[in-house]
Amino acid sequence: MEAELQQPLLPKKRGRKPKPKPKEEEQSKSAKESSGRRSHSDAADEKYIQWKSLVPVLYDWLTNHNLVWPSLSCRWGPQLEQSTYKNRQRLYISEQTDGSVPNTLIIATCDVVKPRVTAAEHISQYNEEAWSPFIKKYKTIIHPGEVNRIQELHLSPKIVATHTDSPDVLIWDVESQPNRHAVYGTTPSCPDLVLTGHQDNAEFALAMSPAEPFVLSGGKDKTVVLWSIQDHITASATGPTTKNSMGSGGSIIKQTSGESSVGPSIGPRGIYVGHEDTVEDVAFCPSSAEEFCSVGDDACLILWDARVGTSLAIKVVKAHNADLHCVDWNPHDSNLILTGSTDNSIHMFDRRNLTSNGVESPVYKFEGHKAAVLCVQWSPDESSVFGSSAKGGLLNIWDYEKVGKKTEHETKSSAPEGLFFQHAGHRDKVVDFHWDAYDPWTMVSVYDDCDTTGGGGTLQIWRMSDLIYRPEDDVLAELEKFKAHVLECSKA
């Protein structure tokens, strides 16, 4: 990435998205304000140093990638190569600049080290100010505005959708898009498809169906909008479009005749009205592209069914006591839905227990964060496991099956029930993270460090030690073997 100067950033009112601050404003700060920032930074540093000392014990693999600019979204893409000790995989990263250079969508490759390959001493010696040797930029797309959210099309992972500060959703074929150089004044790249239908900015609420080429969005106009890009998808030059043939060669976005500065566009399949404030997040049901849910600043969770029209199916009037930031639908159990809120909690709902226009109680409330929850995601591998990130800088890993269960080896703990791991490697709010579907328990996460260092942001890829999540009996048996081996070596 280009070695641009790191510009100080100022977070928005809600603290979800940082905004650039002119350099001269930062230079005019008083000594008193600077002292206050240092005090806050000292506390964060102490916490970070404590966490870092435990890295060799807690992690099987950890790599840190310093970013010139803050990133608001990160996503894993398809696996590209497999080898003995590592696999190469696509990685999508956004860059939010201060205007001195364009905003960009970065297409990168990442060498994902396989479990139990990295030595503990190597994990603990990473340089948090350096770029990771495992991550390499492949292509840069000049994005027309900030990249607030990235989602990949599951049926053809080289197709991604992005949200920016506009009513439109932009669709990109990352393989056919030209590689661009991000310099001041460069014209934006032309999206392969533009999805229209919102009447106001749609910034964060974005999802793509795992079952069909459907796209879902929510915005400040209080609506949820659904598109099907089926008419714009082809297989390769020969054969009909099928789920298995998508992306099997060539561009899967139909090319239009002539050149356009904005790209072809399509309107929505349906517009869904039911929220009374900004829609902050949306999610598809994993088993049906026509069932989906949405959450918003009205504290409501709404379930929709496109098969019966645009009227809402179920509305949970008060899913939380404050704004809802995020929602995710369990890919293994289509009855379970997670929501995260500015009330610092995560709620798990069972849709079988929900009634239309009711005030419902969740199956369980997870209350381990001390700041607004910004993102929740179910694990693609374990049906009861999910992650949550918050403004407070922690990324928590939960297992709802552990709620109410204690083993004979556990000691009394003050940790919230269900919480079994905390990733504390980020110094500030964790704005996004994503589980790796190809490598279980491997995650990518990003945060902006504008409040603590005045810099850009940091991306981390990490995998906790398998001794943490494996069955207890297996772990104890392995540790017993290791103990016996150590004792035998000491006698030699």
Side-chain angles (χ1 to χ4, degrees), residues 295-468:
V295 295
D297 290 344
D298 55 2
C300 293
L301 164 65
I302 299 181
L303 275 62
W304 310 87
D305 190 339
R307 296 169 298 186
V308 296
T310 57
S311 59
L312 58 87
I314 298 174
K315 182 174 184 178
V316 181
V317 176
K318 198 174 183 181
H320 286 256
N321 293 321
D323 299 358
L324 273 71
H325 272 325
C326 45
V327 64
D328 198 29
W329 209 315
N330 193 320
H332 307 279
D333 186 342
S334 60
N335 292 312
L336 299 181
I337 298 172
L338 290 174
T339 58
S341 169
T342 56
D343 66 7
N344 307 346
S345 70
I346 302 126
H347 290 182
M348 184 171 70
F349 292 93
D350 188 328
R351 68 168 171 169
R352 293 169 295 188
N353 301 333
L354 303 180
T355 57
S356 185
N357 293 313
V359 179
E360 309 295 342
S361 296
V363 175
Y364 195 78
K365 298 179 182 179
F366 301 90
E367 299 178 327
H369 288 291
K370 296 182 180 179
V373 179
L374 301 179
C375 186
V376 291
Q377 284 180 27
W378 289 102
S379 165
D381 189 62
E382 301 290 334
S383 61
S384 62
V385 173
F386 64 91
S388 64
S389 66
K391 188 178 176 183
L394 292 175
L395 201 168
N396 289 344
I397 307 299
W398 310 78
D399 186 345
Y400 73 78
E401 289 189 346
K402 294 182 181 293
V403 173
K405 296 181 181 179
K406 295 288 184 181
T407 68
E408 59 178 307
H409 301 285
E410 281 189 271
T411 58
K412 188 175 181 180
S413 171
S414 59
E417 284 198 299
L419 177 64
F420 72 94
F421 188 83
Q422 282 191 323
H423 178 63
H426 295 307
R427 296 176 184 262
D428 214 315
K429 52 184 173 288
V430 185
V431 291
D432 198 16
F433 70 91
H434 192 206
W435 296 86
D436 188 347
Y438 293 92
D439 196 286
W441 298 99
T442 300
M443 306 185 77
V444 58
S445 51
V446 289
Y447 83 108
D448 72 271
D449 55 8
C450 57
D451 292 339
T452 52
T453 69
T458 300
L459 177 143
Q460 291 180 345
I461 299 174
W462 52 276
R463 179 174 54 239
M464 72 179 79
S465 168
D466 61 8
L467 298 177
I468 296 174

Side-chain angles (χ1 to χ4, degrees), residues 43-65 123-128 393-396 421-428 445 447 458-465 468:
D45 286 344
E46 183 178 348
K47 180 179 178 182
Y48 181 83
I49 291 171
Q50 182 181 14
W51 165 81
K52 191 174 179 180
S53 68
L54 297 173
V55 164
V57 178
L58 297 177
Y59 296 87
D60 178 71
W61 182 49
L62 172 67
T63 187
N64 190 92
H65 191 68
I123 299 174
S124 62
Q125 291 173 359
Y126 74 88
N127 181 0
E128 63 179 304
L394 292 175
L395 201 168
N396 289 344
F421 188 83
Q422 282 191 323
H423 178 63
H426 295 307
R427 296 176 184 262
D428 214 315
S445 51
Y447 83 108
T458 300
L459 177 143
Q460 291 180 345
I461 299 174
W462 52 276
R463 179 174 54 239
M464 72 179 79
S465 168
I468 296 174

Side-chain angles (χ1 to χ4, degrees), residues 146-167:
E146 300 167 353
V147 187
N148 298 332
R149 187 61 61 89
I150 306 168
Q151 289 284 341
E152 72 284 356
L153 182 62
H154 300 263
L155 302 176
S156 181
K158 68 177 181 177
I159 301 299
V160 300
T162 58
H163 256 209
T164 186
D165 291 341
S166 83

Side-chain angles (χ1 to χ4, degrees), residues 52-312:
K52 191 174 179 180
S53 68
L54 297 173
V55 164
V57 178
L58 297 177
Y59 296 87
D60 178 71
W61 182 49
L62 172 67
T63 187
N64 190 92
H65 191 68
N66 191 38
L67 301 173
V68 175
W69 304 106
S71 178
L72 299 178
S73 190
C74 58
R75 301 290 293 184
W76 290 109
Q79 194 172 80
L80 305 174
E81 299 175 18
Q82 294 185 5
S83 60
T84 305
Y85 298 109
K86 59 186 178 182
N87 297 324
R88 180 158 295 177
Q89 193 167 344
R90 185 72 76 226
L91 187 63
Y92 305 118
I93 312 167
S94 70
E95 283 188 323
Q96 184 199 18
T97 73
D98 66 346
S100 61
V101 292
N103 295 285
T104 59
L105 171 63
I106 301 297
I107 317 302
T109 59
C110 178
D111 290 332
V112 180
V113 178
K114 291 186 176 181
R116 298 207 169 196
V117 169
T118 308
E121 58 268 22
H122 176 75
I123 299 174
S124 62
Q125 291 173 359
Y126 74 88
N127 181 0
E128 63 179 304
E129 301 298 329
W131 298 342
S132 170
F134 300 99
I135 300 172
K136 292 179 174 59
K137 183 191 292 187
Y138 165 71
K139 185 180 289 187
T140 298
I141 293 174
I142 307 299
H143 200 270
E146 300 167 353
V147 187
N148 298 332
R149 187 61 61 89
I150 306 168
Q151 289 284 341
E152 72 284 356
L153 182 62
H154 300 263
L155 302 176
S156 181
K158 68 177 181 177
I159 301 299
V160 300
T162 58
H163 256 209
T164 186
D165 291 341
S166 83
D168 300 331
V169 177
L170 308 180
I171 305 295
W172 308 89
D173 184 327
V174 299
E175 294 299 335
S176 65
Q177 280 287 329
N179 187 24
R180 305 285 302 280
H181 186 52
V183 295
Y184 181 76
T186 303
T187 57
S189 300
C190 179
D192 294 278
L193 189 63
V194 178
L195 310 184
T196 63
H198 279 294
Q199 301 303 309
D200 202 346
N201 284 358
E203 296 180 341
F204 290 102
L206 182 64
M208 299 185 94
S209 170
E212 298 286 347
F214 287 1
V215 183
L216 193 64
S217 170
K220 291 185 176 180
D221 57 3
K222 309 173 187 178
T223 67
V224 175
V225 184
L226 176 69
W227 296 269
S228 172
I229 57 176
Q230 182 69 48
D231 292 341
H232 290 260
I233 296 181
T234 60
S236 52
T238 58
T241 297
T242 66
K243 292 182 182 180
N244 293 328
S245 66
M246 288 182 181
S248 58
S251 174
I252 70 168
I253 299 293
K254 285 185 178 179
Q255 302 301 307
T256 57
S257 58
E259 296 294 329
S260 169
S261 60
V262 294
S265 64
I266 58 171
R269 171 168 287 200
I271 299 178
Y272 301 83
V273 180
H275 284 282
E276 298 177 2
D277 208 332
T278 299
V279 179
E280 290 285 355
D281 201 10
V282 290
F284 278 101
C285 175
S287 59
S288 171
E290 295 180 300
E291 294 179 83
F292 42 90
C293 62
S294 58
V295 295
D297 290 344
D298 55 2
C300 293
L301 164 65
I302 299 181
L303 275 62
W304 310 87
D305 190 339
R307 296 169 298 186
V308 296
T310 57
S311 59
L312 58 87

